[in-house]
Amino acid sequence: KLGEDAFGPIGGAEVIIADNRSKFPVTAPKTIAGRVPVRVLHRRTNEAASARNACALEASSQTDSDWLLMLDDDSSPTDAGFVEELLHAPAEVGAVCAQIRLEDGRRESGGLPEVPIGCGVAIRTALFNRLGGYDPSFHYYVEEYDLAAKMLLAGRRVAFSRAFGVLHRKDDSNRNMDAILRSLVRNNAWVAQRYAPDGVLEWVLDETVTRYRAIAEREGAMSGYETGLNELRETLHVQRRTPMDEELYDRFTGVSAVREHLSRVLKPSDGPVCCLMPAGAPPGKNAWAVRRVLEELRIESVDDPREATTLIPATISPGPMLDACEALARDLPGARVITGWDTSRSLVGAAV
């Protein structure tokens, strides 16, 4: 879809497709753009997200300067503007998160400042393989968080690039919310058990179980949630702990990105701040990080947006956060609306 010019800077680019034992086996041309080879790996079973591991191992080049562009079967880059950024990314950048949009113009939900979304992310090939790729036990959902944690522990960072555009043609009509909530509560708690520091582990586990119970109730998926919770009770003790220190965990959860940004753009004399979502929507991922940083900075926080001088979305997932900023500015004209962290800085040579 990008055309021949998109592959010029990449040199030895190739396309590898994982066919996860699909009902109708994948067929593909031998090349695209006239010269980029295409291969299909037919898996014997549905390996879910971890089928990408086989593709990574099959990649012809596996040096630290080579990148894997991870996509779903219903997502694709919108242009080739991200290629130069990847080729000149600082060595400490292990992965680059895309700005992912849906067909209706909204941005994709999920992710954090240093946690990508699997349908639009570029990862260094050698690093991905060295870390073992995606953990097969996660099946679908949250496997990106587990991999991102391993990257941070390995001394790398994950960057977000608004120049890296991906279109996700997601169809929500066939989504099984019971299956989704089953995975979300179990897998998010696994991540907490593996990487949360000792001092906050109990709180993080409680917050995770509470958050996904509220989502399950809202989505009518309590059956799946209870199944996931039961599986969690049976498996939590076998998760190998590699706890981060507090500084690294603040990066992983997005607190560091929020702190760095808000400390630059806010001061106590700016007046009260309201952390909220538009039109009464529930708080999003790690909204607690914004409130925690506001307390650290001793900035007054209020619940009523009419009493505030500044509005901040109650989420730090990049897509929902940017969508919420636009909606709040539209619904409350004249209000000062800011993001919880800075998504505008260049990938090259700058921390996110």
Side-chain angles (χ1 to χ4, degrees), residues 161-232:
S161 173
R162 295 178 78 167
F164 181 6
V166 166
L167 176 64
H168 190 192
R169 302 168 184 81
K170 182 166 67 175
D171 181 2
D172 289 335
S173 61
N174 294 320
R175 299 183 83 201
N176 183 328
M177 292 308 299
D178 277 309
I180 291 172
L181 265 298
R182 170 190 175 184
S183 294
L184 285 176
V185 65
R186 181 194 66 194
N187 295 356
N188 275 286
W190 281 354
V191 168
Q193 178 69 13
R194 292 180 181 189
Y195 306 113
D198 292 338
V200 298
L201 175 58
E202 184 175 352
W203 178 85
V204 176
L205 288 172
D206 287 344
E207 195 272 342
T208 299
V209 170
T210 300
R211 168 179 167 77
Y212 289 104
R213 181 181 183 87
I215 294 174
E217 289 175 343
R218 188 170 71 245
E219 298 291 340
M222 285 302 297
S223 175
Y225 169 84
E226 293 293 346
T227 299
L229 198 60
N230 289 332
E231 291 176 350
L232 175 61

Side-chain angles (χ1 to χ4, degrees), residues 326-342:
E326 294 172 1
L328 290 172
R330 183 177 60 249
D331 296 343
L332 298 166
R336 181 195 185 199
V337 182
I338 63 173
T339 57
W341 55 278
D342 190 355

Side-chain angles (χ1 to χ4, degrees), residues 4-204:
E4 185 171 349
D5 291 343
F7 299 96
I10 308 177
E14 61 181 333
V15 175
I16 305 177
I17 302 169
D19 180 349
N20 252 336
R21 194 174 169 77
S22 56
K23 182 177 180 181
F24 302 102
V26 171
T27 59
K30 292 183 179 180
T31 63
I32 60 173
R35 57 192 175 89
V36 179
V38 179
R39 285 187 282 160
V40 180
L41 302 183
H42 295 281
R43 314 311 295 162
R44 294 182 178 180
T45 60
N46 184 350
E47 299 171 3
S50 66
R52 293 184 171 106
N53 299 353
C55 295
L57 291 171
E58 285 285 327
S60 297
S61 183
Q62 300 185 14
T63 71
D64 206 45
S65 62
D66 296 307
W67 292 83
L68 298 164
L69 174 56
M70 298 284 192
L71 300 167
D72 283 357
D73 59 357
D74 57 359
S75 68
S76 61
T78 56
D79 58 60
F82 66 95
V83 174
E84 285 297 325
E85 276 204 322
L86 294 183
L87 296 178
H88 295 93
E92 72 271 15
V93 174
V96 180
C97 315
Q99 178 168 233
I100 304 168
R101 287 190 182 270
L102 307 178
E103 289 187 292
D104 63 5
R106 291 178 298 126
R107 296 174 178 88
E108 180 63 276
S109 59
L112 288 172
E114 289 205 64
V115 176
I117 301 172
C119 68
V121 58
I123 305 173
R124 291 189 186 271
T125 309
L127 177 65
F128 184 86
N129 287 329
R130 186 163 63 248
L131 296 177
Y134 290 121
D135 186 334
S137 66
F138 282 73
H139 198 64
Y140 284 118
Y141 296 103
V142 198
E143 69 277 356
E144 307 100 322
Y145 286 74
D146 182 67
L147 181 61
K150 294 174 183 175
M151 288 186 190
L152 268 59
L153 285 166
R156 301 300 184 100
R157 68 180 176 91
V158 180
F160 175 79
S161 173
R162 295 178 78 167
F164 181 6
V166 166
L167 176 64
H168 190 192
R169 302 168 184 81
K170 182 166 67 175
D171 181 2
D172 289 335
S173 61
N174 294 320
R175 299 183 83 201
N176 183 328
M177 292 308 299
D178 277 309
I180 291 172
L181 265 298
R182 170 190 175 184
S183 294
L184 285 176
V185 65
R186 181 194 66 194
N187 295 356
N188 275 286
W190 281 354
V191 168
Q193 178 69 13
R194 292 180 181 189
Y195 306 113
D198 292 338
V200 298
L201 175 58
E202 184 175 352
W203 178 85
V204 176

